[in-house]
């Protein structure tokens, strides 16, 4: 379980990517007792001033010794040509060797690469840096099509806001979906966003829209119904053609694809938090049969409903009220 977090920074750190790590892991929320708090520290090889890429400086009080006891070491984005000191390389390798989790945001992957922690691993970074990351670290398996990749305790994420996606994923894996969703709402973020996916790379689905918010909310409340485009268009007071066009414009996908994603997410919640049989879960979320649920679940989550429950259900069930 992640209880302590260390964030190593160097000159030329990007402020936003550092800030999002601080927002997720470094901010206490006493009015939200359900949300976890962490022993959190920003650190640097030589405590003192650190320059950001935004033109202002940081006064960092902690040295790299904080990495030695951290459960998670989160590396923010940094200018790719910034030298990575040997002492940071050593600290990152030691953290991984003792079982800590490591995470990078955007070009922070170059720091992990310098430490040899991307060798023979799937990883990602901002799409515009992916080719360069692959050239510099030829043993890294770079995938530029995903928002984030979790591979053997090394979590890498794509540009900027994908770091939030990765951080929320990590919170969900550690503390369950209910906690991650609550934190996402607190941050005024969807808990998932559209993007590439594998077993531990969520394929999030947008839940906000400009003019279809009411219709989307109604759809999520009636997942077990046989929803057609014609029926949804009538509810939105639009023609079927206009509805389909506006739906794609506002959500980036089709009604069928969006609805399938919502059904998979609802199935994940039920598998985590209830003991309903898989067949019942399929009925409750609108797939109709366990076979159809398995098909869509495996395509989007990268594993079967049974294996997903085996991995995550104990967390959800432990948190149910007595």
């Amino acid at each position: 379980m992640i209880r302590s977090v260390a964030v190593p920074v160097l000159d030329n750190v990007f402020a936003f990517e550092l800030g999002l790590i601080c927002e997720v892991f470094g901010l206490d929320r006493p009015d939200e007792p359900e949300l976890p708090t962490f022993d959190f520290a920003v650190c640097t090889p030589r405590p003192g001033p650190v320059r950001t890429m935004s033109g202002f400086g940081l006064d960092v009080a902690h040295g790299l010794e904080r990495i030695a006891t951290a459960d998670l070491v989160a590396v923010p984005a940094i200018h790719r040509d910034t030298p990575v000191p040997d002492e940071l390389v050593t600290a990152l390798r030691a953290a991984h060797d003792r079982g800590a989790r490591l995470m990078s945001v955007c070009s922070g992957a170059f720091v992990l690469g310098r430490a040899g922690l991307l060798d023979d691993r799937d990883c990602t970074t901002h799409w515009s840096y992916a080719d360069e990351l692959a050239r510099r670290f030829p043993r890294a398996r770079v995938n530029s099509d995903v928002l984030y990749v979790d591979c053997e305790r090394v979590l890498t994420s794509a540009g900027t806001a994908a770091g939030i996606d990765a951080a929320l994923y990590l919170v969900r894996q550690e503390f369950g979906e209910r906690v991650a969703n609550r934190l996402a709402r607190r941050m005024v973020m969807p808990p998932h966003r559209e993007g590439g996916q594998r077993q531990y790379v969520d394929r999030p689905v947008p839940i906000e829209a400009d003019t279809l918010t009411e219709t989307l909310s109604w759809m999520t409340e009636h997942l077990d119904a046989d929803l057609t485009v014609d029926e949804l268009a009538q509810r939105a007071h639009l023609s079927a053609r206009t509805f389909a066009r506006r739906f794609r414009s506002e959500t980036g996908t089709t009604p069928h694809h969006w609805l399938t994603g919502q059904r998979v997410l609802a199935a994940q919640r039920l598998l985590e938090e209830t003991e309903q049989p898989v067949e019942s879960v399929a009925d409750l979320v609108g797939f109709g049969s366990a076979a159809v649920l398995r098909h869509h679940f495996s395509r989007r989550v990268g594993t079967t409903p049974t294996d997903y429950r085996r991995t995550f259900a104990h967390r959800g069930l432990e948190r149910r009220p007595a």
Side-chain angles (χ1 to χ4, degrees), residues 14-243:
F14 283 87
F16 181 89
E17 286 78 356
L18 171 60
L20 71 86
I21 296 172
C22 296
E23 174 72 19
V24 174
F25 299 107
L27 184 62
D28 292 340
R29 298 175 174 87
D31 58 326
E32 293 273 11
E34 278 191 38
L35 298 182
T37 58
F38 304 92
D39 179 12
F40 181 87
V42 176
C43 58
T44 193
R46 282 164 291 283
V50 173
R51 297 191 307 273
T52 71
M53 289 294 290
S54 299
F56 60 86
L58 305 172
D59 185 11
V60 180
H62 300 286
L64 296 183
E65 68 277 358
R66 292 300 296 254
I67 293 178
T69 57
D71 302 313
L72 169 67
V73 182
V75 182
I78 193 170
H79 192 281
R80 303 181 306 289
D81 294 328
T82 299
V84 181
D86 290 341
E87 55 264 47
L88 178 54
V89 169
T90 299
L92 292 173
R93 289 174 178 169
H96 181 265
D97 289 344
R98 65 176 171 78
R101 266 197 167 274
L102 287 95
M103 170 186 172
S104 67
V105 180
C106 192
S107 56
F110 287 81
V111 177
L112 297 184
R114 170 69 176 80
L117 296 173
L118 301 185
D119 290 352
D120 304 315
R121 279 193 173 88
D122 297 319
C123 60
T124 193
T125 187
H126 192 286
W127 60 268
S128 65
Y129 306 152
D131 289 344
E132 182 181 352
L133 186 68
R135 284 194 304 271
R136 289 197 191 185
F137 309 108
R139 291 179 58 187
R141 300 191 295 264
V142 182
N143 184 344
S144 61
D145 295 329
V146 295
L147 290 175
Y148 52 92
V149 177
D150 188 6
C151 187
E152 301 173 14
R153 291 183 289 109
V154 176
L155 175 64
T156 53
S157 63
T160 312
I164 302 176
D165 296 302
L168 289 174
Y169 154 77
L170 194 53
V171 170
R172 186 170 82 171
Q173 191 181 51
E174 292 288 316
F175 300 97
E177 184 167 352
R178 185 183 300 276
V179 171
N181 287 351
R182 192 172 188 88
L183 178 58
R185 287 194 295 272
R186 180 64 182 257
M187 295 171 62
V188 197
M189 284 286 298
H192 313 284
R193 288 191 304 130
E194 188 69 25
Q197 70 130 61
R198 291 180 174 170
Q199 176 172 357
Y200 291 116
V201 180
D202 290 309
R203 188 174 183 81
V205 184
I207 58 174
E208 290 94 7
D210 293 333
T211 63
L212 297 178
T213 301
E214 184 176 342
T215 303
L216 296 181
S217 296
W218 186 88
M219 290 168 69
T220 59
E221 294 169 2
H222 297 82
L223 294 176
D224 58 336
D226 183 14
L227 304 178
T228 66
V229 171
D230 287 340
E231 178 185 359
L232 295 171
Q234 289 178 8
R235 178 166 292 277
H237 307 292
L238 299 168
S239 69
R241 178 177 295 181
T242 300
F243 175 80

